[in-house]
Amino acid sequence: MTISENRQFRPLPVPSVSIGGYWGDWQDAVCDETAKTLLDRCVSARMLEQINPDVPSPGVVLPIMNWGGTTQMFWDSDMAKSIETIAYSLYRKPNAELERRADEIIDMYAKLQDADGYLNSFFQRIKPEWKWSNLRDFHELYCAGHMIEAAVAYYQATGKRKFMDVMSRMADYCVAKFGYGPGQMRGYCGHEEIELALVRLARETGNQSYMDLAKFFVDERGQAPNFFMEEAKAFGRDPKGWQKNILEYSQSHAPVREQSKVVGHAVRAMYLYSAMADLATEYNDDSLTATLETLWADLTQKQMYVTGGIGPAHSNEGFTDYYDLPNDTAYAETCASVGLVFWASRMLGRGPKRLYADTMEQALYNGAITGLAMDGKTFFYDNPLESTGKHHRWIWHPCPCCPPNIARLVTSLGSYIYQVADDEIAVHLYAQSEARVELANGAKFTLTQKTDYPWSGDIAIEIAPEQSATFAVSLRIPQWARAAKLCVNGQPIVLFDLGADGYVRIEREWAKGDVIQLTLPLEPRAVRAHPYVRQNAGRVAIMRGPLVYCMEGADNGVGLNSVLLGNGLGKAQTAVIPDLRGAIAIDLPVLKESAGAWGNALYAEAEAATEAVNARLVPYHLWDNRAPGEMLVWMRNA
Amino acid sequence: MTISENRQFRPLPVPSVSIGGYWGDWQDAVCDETAKTLLDRCVSARMLEQINPDVPSPGVVLPIMNWGGTTQMFWDSDMAKSIETIAYSLYRKPNAELERRADEIIDMYAKLQDADGYLNSFFQRIKPEWKWSNLRDFHELYCAGHMIEAAVAYYQATGKRKFMDVMSRMADYCVAKFGYGPGQMRGYCGHEEIELALVRLARETGNQSYMDLAKFFVDERGQAPNFFMEEAKAFGRDPKGWQKNILEYSQSHAPVREQSKVVGHAVRAMYLYSAMADLATEYNDDSLTATLETLWADLTQKQMYVTGGIGPAHSNEGFTDYYDLPNDTAYAETCASVGLVFWASRMLGRGPKRLYADTMEQALYNGAITGLAMDGKTFFYDNPLESTGKHHRWIWHPCPCCPPNIARLVTSLGSYIYQVADDEIAVHLYAQSEARVELANGAKFTLTQKTDYPWSGDIAIEIAPEQSATFAVSLRIPQWARAAKLCVNGQPIVLFDLGADGYVRIEREWAKGDVIQLTLPLEPRAVRAHPYVRQNAGRVAIMRGPLVYCMEGADNGVGLNSVLLGNGLGKAQTAVIPDLRGAIAIDLPVLKESAGAWGNALYAEAEAATEAVNARLVPYHLWDNRAPGEMLVWMRNA
């Protein structure tokens, strides 16, 4: 059997996948709580006053910062991501009131839009004189990108075209405004986002000019003379800017194909690489793919937390030095892990590789979903891997980018579980779900996963074609799942000759009643970090399947750094935690240094006495959902 | 023999002690380089323009900060500490040019002084309208304090009274300005310093009103209604202030005798406690002593680095939570450890206790002198216990408080080695030196220490009275010096019945030729931190005598956190390091995790392979005097 080298995998549309089980619970939390919460808090923040052309402008509500702008410039993006969340949630749980409110906002945007298609509530209503004056810092195209994504989602979920038509006009405006032609700007946005949004819009509308504009933005980025340097000079600003390494900060220090190190603001980097991966797929662009492979290795081999968190530093919301991964001060913004999920998903566009899907899963379960409380009501912005008990989820944030970002990811998860090519469906993630699929080769089928994953590793996949049909089903065998077992209709398939890509590709004529049984062993395992990661020296992180575990004060009291794993892992047992929605805990015997026996001295020559105690570990992403207290991922080994 | 409970120990004046050996080298570095450097850099910073009434005022040179003032307000203190350093250095190494320059500045101050005695160059020449408007933040009395200290030192070193007379007039002004009487201010300075300075001035001049004013400032601090709250309201400022916990920040949240937790800005706390200890001695004030004993335990049992560094946080230049002692981000300001030496020294005022003197030595050798490069030319402001190679000494600092502070400590070290009571001399520190002493009981003698301490633990102390005389010599036996040996004129003295105070008190009739031989074993030892110090979990610090050791990249390459001590300490050997002025290194076999064998993965289940290598440890206080690179104090145990 020959596999085309130019396969193009694209996500299933969100409405094609129904989700239950573990992720169904998360989707319910977002539908029942987060979606409305987001909209309410956007309204409380006075965003509607900025958008609605029928009320007086609120003026500058949030202060002008050292970079010359205000986070109020991002309001359209916050509102757009909230509408995108509502769109997905409407599909799962119809909600007339939410839909009415979204329609009302969309009507405002339609009314606000200029005759030439331009649309940005801040620059139209608050600071018209700043329009296109500072692409580097002012997020003008970034906002358009998020509005485009929301518009596509809203169309897919409701069938209503109005918002997508509005944003298509804005996209047309941008197609005219930006380009290599005379009178056009050869610029791009300091915060990448519009690029991947234009790909989504092009895929939905079939309008190639949107795809080409995305390619223009990517190709132009970092070319000499540097647009941001020229722009700063033209507007009389110091080109050195307000942030150290201002060009690296926005990945515009070199043409993208010459970049080999992941630098700068983490979310920006992820959004850029996501667009690059989309374009690599759409244009079969090997030069982009080669660059992305280098950047992928740079990120995942030198700069990523075990949680899939990225960007350790608060100062630039981004990357620092190789192997610099402090746990207690980790920034590891929720949005950055969401962005890593985006990028990883898009790296699968040219064919399934567990290199990407394993990391997508790692970031999804540990770096991203951690940003949301189980009840869907509060949010982490930064995600440390150690806490002395003072870090808790927020109700809201001055820059509320993370809450709607994790919410839209959760509610659109179907698109990340499954991708399809002409004659193939790839199952990247395991989750209770039903996918309704029609392939380009004509095969039409329902694929149903029955599983309690991630708590259980037993997965049954039923393939039910309307009529028997030939296509391939590719299943990821995670790298951690040694001794995984696979049967098709009860017949074992030997996995030892898995390809380097780590997927089992089952190509056959499928008929109703066909069942794939996959068993992924979920033995708890201890993971160690590269010796250069000084913060994790002598420490291990316990994982089970894709989940990173942690100790919490709620189960283990104070002094988590006094706990020594020793050889307790071999005696680990699992237990269900009812107050964490049935999550699986890992209980194991450990040693604990006794503070009581130590006495008053701060320093002494004697070793601390230890006592044998039991420790309980819980999934990291569920921490801070019970009583506040200490938390620790990297526990001492011995 | 009966020992008075009300002994009062006071430091020997600086000119009474000549120093050689290890500290002599440091004093030479300050005399030869630092003293002039300080003055030159004060001049470059334009301080003279502010002081000199015969030139135009420079205006506000340094920017107004978020707290409403500018570090330019501290210039008199920087200049004063520089003059104090020069004073001590003149005594050791006469330098006509430096003395001339100091005299010139003193002349300027004398000319600048108002008729009523008021003297502060910033408030006289830059912002007269701000005078006495913000005692909490503006350091007005703090500057006076440092100028008083400098004036006393200059008088002691040169015999010239001019500066002391000037500052006595300023002190008289303050005696009239502050107090309980009608029309007097019941205020005190946000940055303590004047209190301990007034004690010095009172001791030198015999003027009790200065001592009483010091007592007033200490007694009034934190009394209700809180002066700083009332002051803020009176001047229309938000009493909550610019700093979190603004009253704790300056130890004015409660009357000092009700304080039991060391809080706020570390240097301020040390200067306050130093004054309280002086007053406890001068007034035999048991209520102050009891408070100080509580605060001492709080600091040294819960909030002090093993280096004697204190104040882990940059945000408040001070204290945070108990047991919160991060190594790589440690603030541990040089001035704060200098202040701890001040406080510890003064806690000895009511009798020798190694509880205080051991910590004084620890802070002196590890927290304080680290702030000065061996050549006396560059300075650390903050003193982390771990570095990835980016932390280096500064030429100068926007707030240059630390350079002259460590310089004046080094050049006045004689005062910290010896203290005297009516019939007793206490030897708190061991150092090559000669002390010329006259006790109140009439005994007049020279005490000479011959030693290569801290490199060697052999100390010979010769007592040479002009005429045979009876008095006590008290010698500290450090807590770490188990199996110390002591002989007087060749006769062993058994040490097992040392008092709780940890001093051997030898009272006898001394005659010329009497010799005490003390041997302190300097075996390297591993020190562990309390189990609650999470940053040091599983780690040890290697000490030898009073010195904390560290690994440096210069000797050990990269990846210091990959090094495991194992059982290498038993095989430790010492070696002289010629390029660190003959310091003693500790060489020992260790294991090192191999980054090369690990491969590319950032995370893996296998343990890292280790290889046997040799590690070299050098005294922490001498780090960053050779090639730049990593540094680590707390090394992994196993």
Side-chain angles (χ1 to χ4, degrees), chain B residues 32 60 111-112 230 232 281 330 337 363 384 396 436 506 556 559 566 624:
Chain B
D32 295 342
V60 176
K111 191 165 183 185
L112 177 65
E230 300 300 310
T281 300
S337 286
W396 199 233
R436 294 164 292 278
I506 311 170
N556 302 289
D624 197 42

Side-chain angles (χ1 to χ4, degrees), chain A residues 263-587:
Chain A
V263 295
H265 187 274
V267 178
R268 297 178 193 225
M270 294 305 105
Y271 286 10
L272 169 63
Y273 306 154
S274 295
M276 287 165 65
D278 274 340
L279 294 172
T281 300
E282 294 298 333
Y283 291 86
N284 287 312
D285 185 333
D286 292 337
S287 68
L288 279 179
T289 298
T291 299
L292 290 169
E293 285 170 352
T294 300
L295 292 168
W296 183 269
D298 190 77
L299 178 71
T300 58
Q301 293 178 2
K302 288 173 182 158
Q303 306 203 63
M304 185 181 78
Y305 286 99
V306 72
T307 56
I310 53 174
H314 183 275
S315 59
N316 65 345
E317 301 191 306
F319 300 100
T320 56
D321 298 324
Y322 285 157
Y323 304 110
D324 177 38
L325 296 165
N327 292 305
D328 52 350
T329 62
Y331 199 65
E333 187 183 334
T334 300
C335 279
S337 285
V338 170
L340 178 53
V341 172
F342 293 166
W343 182 25
S345 164
R346 285 160 170 88
M347 289 303 281
L348 298 164
R350 302 194 76 186
K353 290 190 181 178
R354 76 174 172 201
L355 175 69
Y356 304 118
D358 278 5
T359 299
M360 175 169 77
E361 187 178 46
Q362 186 178 5
L364 173 66
Y365 277 103
N366 305 291
I369 192 62
T370 313
L372 190 61
M374 282 181 65
D375 62 10
K377 292 180 181 172
T378 55
F379 313 93
F380 277 140
Y381 195 97
D382 46 331
N383 292 282
L385 285 76
E386 175 176 4
S387 170
T388 58
K390 292 182 177 172
H391 190 73
H392 305 294
R393 290 186 182 80
W394 295 64
I395 300 285
W396 200 235
H397 196 277
C399 176
C401 51
C402 297
N405 225 359
I406 182 62
R408 69 184 180 131
L409 175 62
V410 165
T411 41
S412 62
L413 198 73
S415 290
Y416 299 86
I417 300 175
Y418 302 106
Q419 286 183 345
V420 291
D422 289 350
D423 57 358
E424 182 170 351
I425 181 165
V427 183
H428 298 308
L429 299 173
Y430 298 106
Q432 175 83 29
S433 57
E434 181 190 281
R436 294 165 293 279
V437 186
E438 189 170 355
L439 297 180
N441 75 351
K444 201 170 171 187
F445 60 92
T446 301
L447 185 155
T448 307
Q449 282 194 57
K450 294 183 176 166
T451 180
D452 194 27
Y453 194 86
W455 310 129
S456 156
D458 296 327
I459 301 139
I461 299 175
E462 297 171 9
I463 314 284
E466 286 192 357
Q467 297 177 325
S468 292
T470 297
F471 56 89
V473 177
S474 286
L475 302 175
R476 177 178 62 106
I477 309 299
Q479 192 180 21
W480 48 260
R482 284 191 293 265
K485 285 183 194 140
L486 183 69
C487 293
V488 177
N489 296 330
Q491 296 299 311
I493 292 187
V494 178
L495 288 176
F496 65 78
D497 56 354
L498 262 186
D501 294 346
Y503 275 70
V504 182
R505 187 172 189 275
I506 311 170
E507 185 175 23
R508 52 177 282 163
E509 185 175 293
W510 297 94
K512 205 163 283 188
D514 283 344
V515 178
I516 304 169
Q517 283 282 358
L518 177 63
T519 306
L520 303 176
L522 297 182
E523 293 308 310
R525 63 192 191 281
V527 170
R528 291 163 176 85
H530 190 288
Y532 282 168
V533 184
R534 61 196 176 89
Q535 293 92 350
N536 298 340
R539 293 172 181 263
V540 296
I542 305 298
M543 296 189 71
R544 180 176 183 269
L547 303 184
V548 173
Y549 274 68
C550 69
M551 288 187 288
E552 270 200 285
D555 303 303
N556 303 289
V558 297
L560 299 183
N561 275 296
S562 303
V563 173
L564 305 167
L565 176 61
N567 55 5
L569 195 60
K571 298 165 193 155
Q573 298 194 309
T574 55
V576 171
I577 322 169
D579 55 349
L580 289 179
R581 214 150 60 197
I584 296 291
I586 299 173
D587 295 325

Side-chain angles (χ1 to χ4, degrees), chain A residues 304 321 390 528 603-605, chain B residues 304 321 390 528 603-604:
Chain A
M304 185 181 78
D321 298 324
K390 292 182 177 172
R528 291 163 176 85
Y603 304 102
E605 290 182 49
Chain B
M304 185 181 76
D321 298 324
K390 294 182 178 173
R528 291 163 178 84
Y603 302 103

